[in-house]
Amino acid sequence: EYADVGVIRDWILKEVPRHTVSLAGFNISKYPVTNLEYLAFLRDCPNAEVPTSWPLRAFPLHYANHPVYSVSAGAADAFCAWLSARTGRTVRLPDEAQWEYAAGAGRFEYPWGNEARTENANTAELGLLSTTPVGVFPQGASPFGLMDMGGNVEEYTSNDYDAYPNGPFVMDDLISESRPTYRITRGGCFGRFADLCRVSRRHGLSITPYASLYAVGFRVVAE
């Protein structure tokens, strides 16, 4: 289906075989973490990682309600640790199964249903090639009312890549001698095509020369 935009069979093999996962109840944020929310973290933790997407390391006021991106998985984990301390709750990144269930309820190929729709998410098909404020694609909401689960920015999970039970371990361009694994991301972004919006699609932070078009942010789970 997506061969014309460069998707190859090996990437899809990361999704198989389908298997059953049991989940306890969990709370997940309706929106990805925004620049303004990340600024609150930086004010309390001034030595924390500043997003490289912030020009000259300055807070982008006009993008306050856009999702933060261009931070490492370690910075996302540090944000969760800070928020845990501030709220007294256990806050962390969602694991893969939690993210996938929240995005598609175990039923849908995309957060909004089983057909790709350009108007439902900020992906490369839309042509903006930049973030949009969170929540401005209400028709793209997940079955649980979560926003931006497809497009805008890809989202870190808490899992490093590994094969599913009885599935193949895929050696692709995301793995190198110096990088034997990577943190799984989900959901697609403004610089990539809608294939990455499929709720079962497993990916990771690009380390190619085109990485500037691959935007990764995160949302949180509170236990």
Side-chain angles (χ1 to χ4, degrees):
E1 183 181 356
Y2 285 93
D4 59 335
V5 294
V7 176
I8 64 174
R9 179 179 174 83
D10 277 356
W11 298 344
I12 308 305
L13 288 177
K14 297 178 188 179
E15 304 172 20
V16 299
R18 293 177 183 266
H19 57 285
T20 300
V21 177
S22 296
L23 293 174
F26 61 96
N27 298 300
I28 186 168
S29 54
K30 182 175 181 177
Y31 306 104
V33 171
T34 65
N35 285 309
L36 184 62
E37 290 165 336
Y38 197 85
L39 177 65
F41 163 56
L42 288 177
R43 284 175 170 164
D44 277 358
C45 307
N47 294 321
E49 183 180 319
V50 177
T52 59
S53 57
W54 290 11
L56 301 177
R57 297 171 57 86
F59 173 64
L61 180 61
H62 297 298
Y63 292 89
N65 203 36
H66 290 227
V68 68
Y69 72 98
S70 70
V71 293
S72 67
D77 290 336
F79 178 95
C80 291
W82 164 79
L83 193 56
S84 295
R86 285 289 301 267
T87 62
R89 304 176 71 182
T90 300
V91 178
R92 56 175 176 78
L93 297 178
D95 65 35
E96 281 198 82
Q98 289 174 324
W99 193 99
E100 186 170 328
Y101 184 72
R107 303 195 308 270
F108 295 140
E109 185 171 4
Y110 299 90
W112 53 83
N114 290 318
E115 295 182 6
R117 295 186 180 276
T118 301
E119 68 274 16
N120 284 12
N122 179 6
T123 60
E125 287 90 346
L126 201 61
L128 294 178
L129 299 182
S130 182
T131 55
T132 44
V134 298
V136 299
F137 292 88
Q139 65 274 32
S142 86
F144 300 105
L146 306 182
M147 309 303 294
D148 298 281
M149 295 295 277
N152 216 358
V153 296
E154 189 88 353
E155 298 176 14
Y156 285 116
T157 68
S158 61
N159 299 96
D160 287 341
Y161 169 67
D162 202 354
Y164 281 156
N166 300 313
F169 188 94
V170 176
M171 297 288 294
D172 62 11
D173 60 335
L174 294 176
I175 292 178
S176 65
E177 186 174 333
S178 61
R179 190 195 196 205
T181 188
Y182 53 88
R183 189 74 70 91
I184 286 287
T185 62
R186 297 280 192 138
C189 68
F190 64 76
R192 299 292 182 179
F193 292 100
D195 168 66
L196 287 177
C197 288
R198 293 187 303 104
V199 300
S200 60
R201 185 77 150 84
R202 307 174 77 202
H203 205 253
L205 180 61
S206 176
I207 53 175
T208 71
Y210 304 102
S212 61
L213 286 178
Y214 192 71
V216 182
F218 60 100
R219 73 180 68 219
V220 300
V221 160
E223 296 181 350

